[in-house]
Amino acid sequence: MEQMLVQNGVKKVQLLPAVNDDHGGVIVELEEPMDPNIFHNMLRSSLHQWKLQGKKGVWIKMPIQLANLVEPAVKEGFWYHHAEPHYLMLVYWIPETGNTIPANASHRVGIGAVVLNEKRELLVVQESSGRMKGTGIWKIPTGVVEEGEDLFEAAIREVKEETGIDTEFLEVLAFRQMHKSFFGKSDLFFICMMHPLTFNLQKQDLEIEAVQWMSLEVYGAQPFVLKHGIFKYIKDLCLAKAEGGYLGFTPVPIKSYFDDPTSYLYFNEDGLVQ
Amino acid sequence: MEQMLVQNGVKKVQLLPAVNDDHGGVIVELEEPMDPNIFHNMLRSSLHQWKLQGKKGVWIKMPIQLANLVEPAVKEGFWYHHAEPHYLMLVYWIPETGNTIPANASHRVGIGAVVLNEKRELLVVQESSGRMKGTGIWKIPTGVVEEGEDLFEAAIREVKEETGIDTEFLEVLAFRQMHKSFFGKSDLFFICMMHPLTFNLQKQDLEIEAVQWMSLEVYGAQPFVLKHGIFKYIKDLCLAKAEGGYLGFTPVPIKSYFDDPTSYLYFNEDGLVQ
């Protein structure tokens, strides 16, 4: 992958190894340690070359072990695009015209699980950490959707982890979009209807203070449920669902036009059949 | 905000300015340039101090201008949490026990806009960049939801930008969750039903090749629509909606338990009333 810049038949300086992306740009994936000055020279020559070639965006994926190469890249005009625990992605836009660098991930995704048993009791927990700690509030199990995890998988996993109950996913009853919830990022929270398959409560020790089955009436009579939007809607949605009149969105696997992995489309399946 | 470590009555070394977070940790927001060696010493002393104080997570928000301080932080065991164009957030976990550092944003969010006029014609575009370029495919206007933007705002904005048409947001018809769509991140795509308020087409030059009103039959007869999941579902949802039998999710503003900004809950409003 190593490349040389050849000028008048003379090898001048090594260029950075790069592969083309699908949008007229190049991607450099650094792997081996390098002297920062040598890197800086190679980067400058490479940028010159890419400019001549009419390249647009330039991406550098820099493993955390090469943190000493961040500064020279920034000196050449690169900025940060995103970071994960083990790497930093830097980006640069060569053309004079406005850049079309794609946006970074902007939302964290969470789920809340509505698990109703046949006695119309709701599965609720008290949390032992976070903002709910010490409030005495009984709430539905909630959690963050992990990387690459489907919403319905996350809901099943969180209920099992927090309460020991096995469930089957039925549908998304509602979702909430909230801004500035976390380092300026937004949050999408999906309220999921689940059917319990087991009934033996076994609370998780790390994050959960207590767990129980609670009648919808007692849940709904908690003062904060009466006052606060989302808790009240969760109760109303439970009741509407329990009485059979409410249609949420169910997941159906679909194919993409391109060769993307299978994904799920969530929609009102009954509404589509009519 | 500057702090000194005092030992046996002797001022030893400056500590980094830090504020407590809500989870037993501290946040350092660096602003002024600093010599990397001095920073490294201050960080080491500060970590020692925070350890004695029983602190848990340590966050360092480092503006891109201070890229020369990334390496010393990484040498002390910090790793990357997330990055935005102008800063890098580094994090460190002091306790021996498992870390509860919250996850980074994991999803990009997009919208697709279904705009049907009274003749049951669908507003469609051909794209002049990206994966759809040159395919001849007529598709609904789509776009990425910007930071802090509500889904319904994004749908109105994208239709206006791409086609010149003003619209009113009606409801979310369906959404798709897809994985590994972008640097290993996931994608949530919301199909939104819109009502057109104006009808003069004015295509955007940068990304759009052509725009028109197209009968649902012609849209649906495109070969890829017949073959590929999401395009076919978009047609089916259009038809179900045009015939009045389909209920999607509409946004309702709600209050949070905490003092978060107003957010929107999307649900089947008709289903809840019953």
Side-chain angles (χ1 to χ4, degrees):
Chain A
M1 288 252 285
E2 273 183 12
Q3 293 167 283
M4 298 291 243
L5 180 64
V6 182
Q7 227 163 41
N8 305 325
V10 183
K11 286 185 184 178
K12 300 289 276 197
V13 61
Q14 270 197 328
L15 299 183
L16 291 167
V19 295
N20 293 327
D21 68 19
D22 294 340
H23 306 274
V26 293
I27 306 173
V28 176
E29 289 209 28
L30 295 177
E31 283 166 12
E32 300 303 322
M34 210 182 290
D35 176 86
N37 292 320
I38 293 175
F39 170 71
H40 199 162
N41 284 331
M42 287 172 78
L43 180 58
R44 211 178 279 143
S45 308
S46 303
L47 277 173
H48 181 74
Q49 189 72 351
W50 293 324
K51 202 166 185 170
L52 293 176
Q53 292 168 356
K55 297 297 181 194
K56 294 178 179 174
V58 178
W59 301 88
I60 302 180
K61 185 172 178 179
M62 213 175 261
I64 192 165
Q65 298 85 338
L66 308 187
N68 60 333
L69 306 183
V70 175
E71 189 190 4
V74 169
K75 276 191 179 152
E76 276 310 301
F78 279 75
W79 65 90
Y80 303 147
H81 185 270
H82 68 276
E84 291 296 321
H86 298 298
Y87 76 87
L88 174 62
M89 185 69 85
L90 294 121
V91 69
Y92 183 80
W93 185 251
I94 293 178
E96 299 292 319
T97 55
N99 91 54
T100 57
I101 301 281
N104 187 5
S106 55
H107 285 63
R108 202 161 45 161
V109 178
I111 55 85
V114 172
V115 189
L116 269 187
N117 68 16
E118 292 190 351
K119 290 183 271 182
R120 286 184 29 163
E121 291 169 330
L122 183 64
L123 183 61
V124 290
V125 301
Q126 283 184 336
E127 292 182 352
S128 59
S129 67
R131 300 202 289 185
M132 291 290 184
K133 179 181 173 179
T135 58
I137 292 175
W138 290 98
K139 58 180 276 297
I140 61 172
T142 56
V144 174
V145 176
E146 292 174 357
E147 190 172 308
E149 190 177 37
D150 280 305
L151 295 174
F152 59 84
E153 291 174 334
I156 293 168
R157 177 183 52 74
E158 283 288 349
V159 174
K160 180 69 176 176
E161 281 177 12
E162 294 195 356
T163 71
I165 301 291
D166 291 311
T167 54
E168 179 192 359
F169 179 91
L170 299 178
E171 60 184 19
V172 170
L173 297 177
F175 65 85
R176 180 193 61 186
Q177 188 189 22
M178 188 158 74
H179 301 302
K180 299 201 178 298
S181 92
F182 177 70
F183 295 124
K185 298 282 182 174
S186 301
D187 186 277
L188 274 162
F189 176 73
F190 292 84
I191 301 171
C192 303
M193 187 77 204
M194 320 288 291
H195 178 68
L197 300 172
T198 64
F199 300 89
N200 268 344
L201 299 174
Q202 193 162 11
K203 91 172 178 69
Q204 189 220 53
D205 287 333
L206 192 61
E207 295 167 340
I208 302 299
E209 191 64 39
V211 52
Q212 66 167 306
W213 293 99
M214 181 181 262
S215 79
L216 269 182
E217 288 66 33
V218 175
Y219 169 80
Q222 294 182 93
F224 75 96
V225 175
L226 298 171
K227 263 167 62 187
H228 293 283
I230 192 149
F231 296 99
K232 188 189 155 295
Y233 277 110
I234 287 172
K235 186 203 66 182
D236 293 347
L237 290 164
C238 275
L239 283 171
K241 194 68 213 171
E243 282 155 21
Y246 188 86
L247 295 174
F249 286 179
T250 43
V252 172
I254 59 166
K255 267 185 65 181
S256 149
Y257 177 68
F258 299 99
D259 283 336
D260 298 316
T262 295
S263 55
Y264 285 85
L265 188 70
Y266 293 71
F267 61 95
N268 177 345
E269 232 181 325
D270 287 358
L272 200 55
V273 174
Q274 282 173 359
Chain B
M1 287 252 288
E2 274 184 7
Q3 294 168 282
M4 298 292 247
L5 180 63
V6 181
Q7 230 164 39
N8 304 325
V10 182
K11 285 185 185 178
K12 300 288 276 198
V13 62
Q14 271 197 327
L15 299 183
L16 292 167
V19 295
N20 293 326
D21 68 17
D22 293 340
H23 306 274
V26 292
I27 306 172
V28 176
E29 289 209 27
L30 294 178
E31 282 165 14
E32 299 304 321
M34 210 183 290
D35 176 87
N37 291 320
I38 293 176
F39 170 70
H40 199 162
N41 284 331
M42 285 172 80
L43 179 58
R44 210 179 278 143
S45 307
S46 302
L47 277 173
H48 181 74
Q49 189 72 351
W50 294 324
K51 202 165 185 170
L52 293 178
Q53 292 168 355
K55 295 297 180 194
K56 294 178 179 174
V58 179
W59 301 87
I60 302 179
K61 185 173 178 179
M62 212 174 261
I64 192 164
Q65 297 85 337
L66 308 187
N68 61 333
L69 306 184
V70 175
E71 188 190 5
V74 169
K75 277 191 179 154
E76 276 310 301
F78 279 75
W79 65 90
Y80 304 147
H81 186 269
H82 68 278
E84 291 296 322
H86 298 297
Y87 76 86
L88 175 62
M89 185 70 85
L90 294 122
V91 69
Y92 182 81
W93 185 251
I94 293 178
E96 299 291 320
T97 55
N99 90 56
T100 56
I101 301 281
N104 187 5
S106 55
H107 285 63
R108 200 160 45 158
V109 178
I111 55 86
V114 172
V115 189
L116 269 187
N117 68 17
E118 292 190 350
K119 291 184 270 182
R120 285 181 35 162
E121 291 168 329
L122 183 64
L123 182 62
V124 290
V125 300
Q126 283 184 335
E127 291 182 352
S128 60
S129 68
R131 302 202 289 185
M132 291 290 184
K133 179 182 174 177
T135 57
I137 291 175
W138 289 98
K139 58 179 276 295
I140 61 172
T142 56
V144 174
V145 176
E146 291 175 356
E147 190 171 309
E149 191 177 37
D150 279 306
L151 295 174
F152 58 84
E153 290 174 335
I156 293 169
R157 176 182 54 72
E158 284 288 349
V159 174
K160 179 70 177 174
E161 281 177 12
E162 295 195 355
T163 71
I165 300 291
D166 292 311
T167 53
E168 178 192 1
F169 179 92
L170 298 178
E171 61 185 19
V172 170
L173 296 177
F175 63 86
R176 180 194 61 186
Q177 188 190 22
M178 189 158 73
H179 301 302
K180 298 200 181 297
S181 91
F182 178 71
F183 295 124
K185 298 281 180 172
S186 301
D187 186 275
L188 274 162
F189 176 72
F190 292 84
I191 301 171
C192 303
M193 187 77 206
M194 319 290 290
H195 177 67
L197 300 172
T198 63
F199 300 90
N200 270 344
L201 299 174
Q202 192 162 13
K203 88 171 181 70
Q204 189 221 55
D205 287 333
L206 193 61
E207 295 167 339
I208 302 299
E209 191 64 38
V211 52
Q212 65 167 307
W213 293 99
M214 180 180 262
S215 79
L216 268 182
E217 289 65 33
V218 176
Y219 170 81
Q222 294 182 93
F224 74 96
V225 175
L226 298 171
K227 262 167 64 189
H228 292 283
I230 193 148
F231 296 97
K232 189 187 154 297
Y233 276 109
I234 286 171
K235 187 203 66 181
D236 293 347
L237 289 164
C238 276
L239 283 171
K241 193 67 212 172
E243 282 155 20
Y246 188 85
L247 295 175
F249 286 179
T250 43
V252 171
I254 59 166
K255 267 184 65 179
S256 148
Y257 177 68
F258 299 100
D259 283 336
D260 299 316
T262 297
S263 55
Y264 285 85
L265 188 70
Y266 293 71
F267 60 94
N268 177 346
E269 232 180 326
D270 288 358
L272 200 56
V273 175
Q274 285 173 359

